[in-house]
Amino acid sequence: MVATLERTRPGRATPARARTARNRLRVLGFMAPWIIGFSCFFAYPLLATVFFSFTGYDLLTPPEWVGLRNYAYLLFGDPVVRIAAVNTIWLVVVLTVLRVVFALGVAAVLARVRSGVGLLRTLCYLPALAPPVAATLAFTFLFNPGTGPVNGLLGLLGIDGPLWFNDPAWAKPALTLLTLWGSGELMIIMLAALLDVPQELHEAAALDGAGPARRFWHITLPSIAPVLLFGVVNSIIFALQYFTQAVVAGSVASGQAEVVGSSKVLGYPDNATLTFPAWLYQQGFHYYNMGYAAAMAVVLFVFSLGFTALLIRRMRGGTNAEEVS
């Protein structure tokens, strides 16, 4: 009786509790690399960015607390950030729609090819392997208004080609073409999703008299809805972080590529290629307004997180409603 009471005393660990504690320590040991990486490369930089956003910091002197002054200037005082935000929103809307539609269209074509499919898939995916700087340099050469082959071919067809990267009205569409050309990664994901759609559903719908368009709308799209959601979210994040291609294209088109990212060529032509991340970089590492740049980074992070969470929630709500009906 005494021994039994000793073993079940509340302060003493039972074998089951000790086993549970060992299992938790074992799991924690396996997760330690991820926890360390998450803490060092995400949690700490995020908290530090939030702190610096409330300070005046130039990387040389200790940060000085300024409260909400950076956010007030961002929302009401900086005229250039509005231009950068409008350009970024334009890229988010246009790139998201066209990138998903283009990748899905190419994947749908490749899914129907029967001969030489391996070669075609490789050729469609290869542009995604090109480094962003090299791809942008190649595109600025191809779309050069005076010597580029694109305007040369358009001239043979009797079409007067635009100035592309040298025209504020055509600079963002040219960047969009560059992005579509390098969307092979999303295309491969879409292709895998299309090939995974059960053919029995298509065959049953065809027997019921459904045409290709109706089968695609009512069978293919609902079957690949999670992949489409991933493509939309991925494209939104990609557009919100659009930096390298815009900076390089503007610098090369201006004829001053040796000073890429300088204030003289940033956003050329006429701030048409100035994106929110580019202006953030300019403020932090050219003007040394690191506190203001941190505030811009926080706003960009909150906007990205909120927009993505809202999109995922609405997509899941629509999927659940379809399943209930």
Side-chain angles (χ1 to χ4, degrees):
M1 176 77 66
V2 176
T4 303
L5 292 176
E6 287 293 332
R7 286 196 300 269
T8 59
R9 185 175 298 174
R12 185 183 298 273
T14 63
R17 290 181 179 177
R19 192 180 309 111
T20 302
R22 287 196 300 269
N23 290 336
R24 290 178 178 176
L25 290 176
R26 188 178 299 111
V27 172
L28 186 62
F30 282 115
M31 293 182 61
W34 178 86
I35 294 175
I36 295 173
F38 178 82
S39 302
C40 295
F41 300 107
F42 183 80
Y44 170 73
L46 178 60
L47 295 177
T49 301
V50 173
F51 168 75
F52 287 127
S53 68
F54 295 101
T55 65
Y57 184 41
D58 60 2
L59 296 176
L60 301 176
T61 58
E64 178 183 356
W65 186 265
V66 296
L68 297 175
R69 191 179 304 171
N70 289 326
Y71 291 96
Y73 182 70
L74 170 63
L75 296 176
F76 306 108
D78 189 354
V80 180
V81 77
R82 302 173 188 174
I83 300 174
V86 170
N87 290 337
T88 301
I89 293 174
W90 190 96
L91 290 173
V92 167
V93 175
V94 176
L95 278 183
T96 299
V97 175
L98 294 183
R99 189 167 181 254
V100 173
V101 172
F102 180 77
L104 180 60
V106 175
V109 173
L110 292 178
R112 294 178 174 271
V113 175
R114 292 295 177 263
S115 60
V117 61
L119 177 61
L120 290 177
R121 292 176 184 178
T122 302
L123 292 177
C124 291
Y125 179 72
L126 277 178
L129 301 178
V133 174
T136 307
L137 290 174
F139 253 68
T140 53
F141 167 75
L142 293 174
F143 287 85
N144 186 290
T147 60
V150 173
N151 277 8
L153 293 176
L154 293 177
L156 295 177
L157 298 176
I159 301 175
D160 188 13
L163 297 179
W164 298 109
F165 290 105
N166 295 89
D167 187 351
W170 283 93
K172 288 190 288 292
L175 288 175
T176 303
L177 293 176
L178 168 61
T179 303
L180 295 181
W181 177 74
S183 58
E185 294 180 356
L186 185 58
M187 180 271 299
I188 289 294
I189 296 175
M190 295 287 187
L191 178 60
L194 290 175
L195 294 177
D196 196 45
V197 177
Q199 291 300 317
E200 294 81 3
L201 298 178
H202 286 281
E203 294 172 358
L207 291 176
D208 290 337
R214 293 189 63 184
R215 294 200 302 268
F216 181 80
W217 184 260
H218 293 286
I219 296 177
T220 303
L221 288 183
S223 300
I224 65 172
V227 179
L228 288 176
L229 175 60
F230 168 80
V232 171
V233 173
N234 177 267
S235 299
I236 290 174
I237 295 175
F238 175 83
L240 287 173
Q241 298 177 346
Y242 206 78
F243 173 77
T244 303
Q245 296 88 335
V247 173
V248 173
S251 300
V252 175
S254 68
Q256 303 183 44
E258 70 276 2
V259 286
V260 171
S262 69
S263 58
K264 296 181 180 179
V265 300
L266 188 69
Y268 179 88
D270 196 21
N271 287 333
T273 59
L274 179 64
T275 62
F276 196 90
W279 187 238
L280 187 158
Y281 176 85
Q282 186 79 3
Q283 288 289 334
F285 297 99
H286 281 258
Y287 300 151
Y288 298 104
N289 295 330
M290 189 56 66
Y292 181 58
M296 294 179 65
V298 171
V299 171
L300 182 62
F301 173 77
V302 171
F303 182 81
S304 304
L305 182 63
F307 192 87
T308 303
L310 178 63
L311 180 63
I312 293 175
R313 183 177 180 180
R314 290 185 64 87
M315 289 288 290
R316 286 180 176 176
T319 302
N320 294 335
E322 291 181 358
E323 292 177 355
V324 171
S325 61

